Amino acid sequence: DAGITQSPRHKVTETGTPVTLRCHQTENHRYMYWYRQDPGHGLRLIHYSYGVKDTDKGEVSDGYSVSRSKTEDFLLTLESATSSQTSVYFCAIHRQVTDTQYFGPGTRLTVL
Amino acid sequence: QKEVEQDPGPLSVPEGAIVSLNCTYSNSAFQYFMWYRQYSRKGPELLMYTYSSGNKEDGRFTAQVDKSSKYISLFIRDSQPSDSATYLCAMSETLSNYQLIWGAGTKLIIKP
């Protein structure tokens, strides 16, 4: 258990509405990541952060924005949700002691 | 062509069998190789981590890297029904920003 929580765990929303997903960590890790997971695609990186207010784009960043105002919180925002953003979203941290990523439990998002 | 290829399965084997899971990759600069296990509706969890070539063993699990063939394997001995999950490989050139390139995952079913 890497001390990562995600909220909400499930959300159903309508096309065009804004959505914010929250990732919270308790171990003060510098690097945090947002992924989406879809059948046949595996995990795809959306955005990542390497410190407070320091973020960068990943492979599939279009339509998503992120913010990190505190070390422990990394927010993912869908400004105007579309049906193609229906997915399972995972947050991860990089733990330096083991040099690997550890994942939260995921948020299942459905955009109708 | 994806950077990392992984057969999606499902791979179905009887309990007690030796399981071989594989990934191929195209980027010869990859040096860090990981295997994650993901149970249904859960986040991925780190199983094995190897650097460069060679074998690494942990209990019933053995990870093998063949950089000359750009091929990595995960072997599971004495497979158990509790090993039924999706197995994802991940790899990276460098740990500078800790970004990983992921395979799509292989679904494994161990039949009692």
Side-chain angles (χ1 to χ4, degrees), chain A residues 61-79:
Chain A
S61 60
D62 286 349
Y64 302 94
S65 62
V66 290
S67 65
R68 193 164 176 203
S69 58
K70 298 185 290 184
T71 299
E72 58 266 34
D73 289 325
F74 192 30
L75 304 180
L76 177 70
T77 298
L78 291 64
E79 301 290 348

Side-chain angles (χ1 to χ4, degrees), chain A residues 6-20:
Chain A
Q6 292 185 233
S7 59
R9 293 294 313 280
H10 302 271
K11 186 170 182 68
V12 180
T13 191
E14 293 190 351
T15 297
T17 59
V19 176
T20 295

Side-chain angles (χ1 to χ4, degrees), chain A residues 29-33 48-50 68 92-94, chain B residues 96-98:
Chain A
H29 298 288
R30 181 181 169 200
Y31 280 81
M32 298 183 74
Y33 308 81
Y48 69 99
S49 170
Y50 47 97
R68 193 164 176 203
I93 57 92
H94 178 91
Chain B
S96 62
N97 60 9
Y98 310 118

